[in-house]
Amino acid sequence: MQYPSYFLCILSLILSSKHLDCKGFDDTTLFDINFPGSVPERLDADYAETLFVTSSMKEKYQCFLPLVVENQETEVELYAGPSPLELISPLISKGTCSYRIESYWTYEVCHGKYIRQYHEERDSEKTKLQEYILGKWDDRQLERLLQTSKNVREDLKEDVVIPTKKVDNVNLPYYEIVMGNGTACDLNFNQPRSTKVIYVCFPHGKHEVYLLKEESTCIYEIIILTPFLCVHPKYKPKDSKELKINCVPTDGANAEPYSLRKLQLESAKLRKNAEVDGIKVELIKFKAEDAIAGDSKTPKFVTEKVADTNPVKAFLAGKQCLYGGTGWWKFGFCYGKSVEQFHIEKDGSRIAISLGVFKKQKHLNWITEHPHKRPKPLHQRKQLSHFYSDGSVCDKTGQPRQTEVKLKCLEKPKSPSSVSLYLLEPRPCSYILGVESPLICEILENADQDGLVEVPLEFEEEDSELTSFTIKL
């Protein structure tokens, strides 16, 4: 069991006559409460003090609290390399831009140049663009900052503490630049918009926008995940060490508290039941011809590794829907069924707009009118396009909404279940939904000339989500 340090401080103040020093604790310090059954070794070196606790069943334990050292680094890594700004400067000099696509707005972060928020609507005659500059730099600003960072190396001073930002519950050191002089904000007395761009070390990052938020009116914060900062030792994520609290029984108590043991047994039982619930046993009569020659009583079993195809089948059957969107509007996609845009209020009520439903004949008509949307030859095929029509009527056009769904194979993902979605509106109420996932890679070769993939009939049955085993009798 892992507990943050503030829990232990409160526990100490309530149950112990001694006063544990809680200065500087935070919820990133983890402790593992262990019940070894006997007194651990090296108590003098590794443990600061003891604490006597009593369980709800009146079981008494003596707990040895670990010695928490503020600075656990035994040696400081010497560094004489580039400054943080110099490390990320290739992003600026090469004109690299990162994008974040939400349901309505698109954000363009061109590092060291400008940050733009925009929405574009296109029709056959003209393009309507709505945009705001959230911050920008002039061409000389980078040169001035680079020169300053070379002359004054704050990052090399021992007493300088690098600020941190919590990303996925981990405190990561960061380097910050501020980009001001954005579009005037009428909600903030016409003050220019500005953005804090925060760069954190992420070894597998591709300079993507991890988070974009409006901290206060027209003041923004953007977190960029980049591997460039990881060269600098002060900007690397610190290794978190798990500290053990060992509790041993006293006065004849059990090795582990009764309630804890009961909880562990119940958890194990639930896991076992969950595994059994996913199995369907089918009993069929064993035929003699299936037996090994010369032994009619012994069935012949063939063992082979079977790939789990349920996620793909569930996706094709429309039972596994995909969801995306980080703004007010979210969107959902159920393959072969529908695309919708929705918002859930605090009271649980739901507002939904249909962006299209799948009708095979209308898709075939669309693919005939747009032959360039047909699947490419198999060796060149990376994506499929499907047409979803007859959505909610659009106020602007008076026509039903419609969506082209682009299913793209995501190769070499971090996770086999990863999914990336984006929604664009190139024309009023005419959408493009991009779906990128490893699931798509497994259906590309099965698509016909119209880009359609047949759903396995056996998966449409009610009990088809169960893994089926055949036992011959």
Side-chain angles (χ1 to χ4, degrees):
M1 294 183 183
Q2 292 179 342
Y3 299 91
S5 57
Y6 61 76
F7 168 82
L8 299 170
C9 290
I10 295 171
L11 183 67
S12 175
L13 292 174
I14 295 174
L15 299 176
S16 176
S17 59
K18 296 183 179 182
H19 188 89
L20 181 64
D21 184 11
C22 299
K23 182 181 178 181
F25 68 83
D26 60 52
D27 59 355
T28 61
T29 304
L30 296 179
F31 294 82
D32 182 21
I33 299 181
N34 185 37
F35 291 88
S38 59
V39 179
E41 299 177 357
R42 297 183 62 208
L43 289 181
D44 294 338
D46 293 341
Y47 291 86
E49 63 176 298
T50 60
L51 181 69
F52 288 91
V53 297
T54 303
S55 73
S56 60
M57 303 293 291
K58 307 301 181 183
E59 302 158 300
K60 295 183 179 180
Y61 295 88
Q62 183 182 13
C63 296
F64 299 90
L65 304 183
L67 183 66
V68 180
V69 182
E70 284 191 22
N71 185 9
Q72 297 181 1
E73 296 181 6
T74 55
E75 58 182 52
V76 178
E77 185 176 346
L78 296 176
Y79 178 76
S83 67
L85 182 59
E86 289 177 287
L87 290 173
I88 64 172
S89 62
L91 287 175
I92 302 171
S93 59
K94 293 179 180 179
T96 303
C97 296
S98 303
Y99 294 87
R100 183 181 181 90
I101 301 173
E102 296 188 355
S103 56
Y104 186 83
W105 293 108
T106 299
Y107 296 89
E108 181 182 36
V109 182
C110 291
H111 301 277
K113 291 181 172 56
Y114 62 84
I115 302 167
R116 184 168 70 117
Q117 176 188 21
Y118 67 93
H119 174 73
E120 205 170 40
E121 292 183 0
R122 296 193 184 97
D123 54 33
S124 56
E125 297 180 359
K126 60 181 180 179
T127 299
K128 182 180 177 182
L129 179 65
Q130 182 182 4
E131 71 171 348
Y132 300 96
I133 301 300
L134 306 186
K136 61 184 178 181
W137 272 9
D138 59 47
D139 295 336
R140 295 172 295 177
Q141 196 155 354
L142 175 62
E143 295 179 9
R144 292 194 295 266
L145 288 177
L146 279 174
Q147 189 60 44
T148 302
S149 67
K150 289 179 181 178
N151 296 335
V152 183
R153 292 295 301 272
E154 294 287 339
D155 57 299
L156 298 182
K157 295 180 179 179
E158 293 184 6
D159 58 341
V160 173
V161 178
I162 306 298
T164 60
K165 178 69 67 172
K166 186 166 288 188
V167 176
D168 285 341
N169 294 320
V170 178
N171 285 326
L172 297 179
Y174 68 85
Y175 180 77
E176 175 186 311
I177 64 174
V178 178
M179 301 177 73
N181 302 316
T183 306
C185 177
D186 54 0
L187 298 176
N188 194 18
F189 306 102
N190 285 324
Q191 293 296 313
R193 288 171 166 82
S194 66
T195 301
K196 292 189 298 183
V197 186
I198 292 174
Y199 294 89
V200 298
C201 158
F202 196 74
H204 304 291
K206 297 180 179 178
H207 321 300
E208 63 265 35
V209 179
Y210 170 78
L211 177 69
L212 188 150
K213 65 179 180 179
E214 188 172 4
E215 287 194 309
S216 58
T217 305
C218 298
I219 305 295
Y220 306 87
E221 179 182 281
I222 294 176
I223 297 179
I224 304 291
L225 305 180
T226 176
F228 288 177
L229 271 181
C230 300
V231 176
H232 200 305
K234 283 194 174 182
Y235 289 88
K236 291 180 180 178
K238 290 182 172 56
D239 295 331
S240 59
K241 183 179 179 181
E242 184 180 280
L243 303 176
K244 286 188 178 294
I245 297 177
N246 288 299
C247 295
V248 297
T250 62
D251 297 343
N254 295 318
E256 291 182 327
Y258 171 78
S259 298
L260 174 61
R261 186 60 183 156
K262 182 180 178 182
L263 179 63
Q264 291 172 341
L265 291 173
E266 289 176 351
S267 299
K269 185 178 179 180
L270 288 173
R271 287 195 300 269
K272 185 176 180 180
N273 289 341
E275 293 173 358
V276 173
D277 287 343
I279 299 175
K280 180 182 71 175
V281 177
E282 180 183 357
L283 302 178
I284 64 173
K285 187 176 180 179
F286 174 70
K287 298 178 181 179
E289 55 266 28
D290 292 332
I292 299 175
D295 186 357
S296 60
K297 295 183 179 179
T298 305
K300 180 181 180 181
F301 294 99
V302 179
T303 303
E304 60 181 38
K305 186 176 181 181
V306 181
D308 181 13
T309 58
N310 273 355
V312 178
K313 290 181 179 179
F315 173 72
L316 290 176
K319 295 184 177 182
Q320 179 174 312
C321 299
L322 308 177
Y323 297 94
T326 57
W328 197 82
W329 285 110
K330 305 293 189 295
F331 49 90
F333 168 60
C334 299
Y335 179 89
K337 293 187 176 180
S338 63
V339 180
E340 71 168 358
Q341 196 172 35
F342 64 92
H343 172 72
I344 300 177
E345 298 283 4
K346 292 181 179 179
D347 61 2
S349 59
R350 193 172 188 269
I351 304 170
I353 299 174
S354 172
L355 304 187
V357 295
F358 185 77
K359 296 181 178 179
K360 184 175 180 180
Q361 190 55 54
K362 291 207 170 184
H363 167 80
L364 295 176
N365 295 340
W366 176 80
I367 207 80
T368 301
E369 295 172 3
H370 304 83
H372 61 285
K373 301 291 186 180
R374 292 187 183 276
K376 292 184 178 181
L378 189 57
H379 66 282
Q380 299 177 347
R381 191 176 301 170
K382 296 293 183 183
Q383 69 177 39
L384 303 173
S385 288
H386 291 172
F387 183 63
Y388 287 65
S389 57
D390 296 338
S392 302
V393 174
C394 177
D395 295 336
K396 293 182 179 179
T397 64
Q399 299 296 319
R401 288 172 166 83
Q402 61 185 32
T403 302
E404 176 189 355
V405 177
K406 293 185 176 181
L407 304 169
K408 186 176 180 182
C409 168
L410 182 62
E411 298 177 339
K412 298 180 181 179
K414 295 180 182 178
S415 168
S417 60
S418 61
V419 178
S420 174
L421 294 95
Y422 62 87
L423 185 69
L424 303 177
E425 189 179 3
R427 296 186 302 279
C429 300
S430 180
Y431 307 89
I432 295 176
L433 175 65
V435 181
E436 299 181 0
S437 172
L439 294 175
I440 310 301
C441 306
E442 301 187 39
I443 67 174
L444 286 179
E445 62 180 16
N446 298 321
D448 60 19
Q449 63 176 358
D450 299 312
L452 300 179
V453 182
E454 293 296 329
V455 181
L457 293 177
E458 67 272 14
F459 198 73
E460 296 179 351
E461 300 175 0
E462 290 184 0
D463 61 351
S464 58
E465 293 185 359
L466 300 178
T467 304
S468 177
F469 290 88
T470 299
I471 300 178
K472 293 186 176 182
L473 300 178

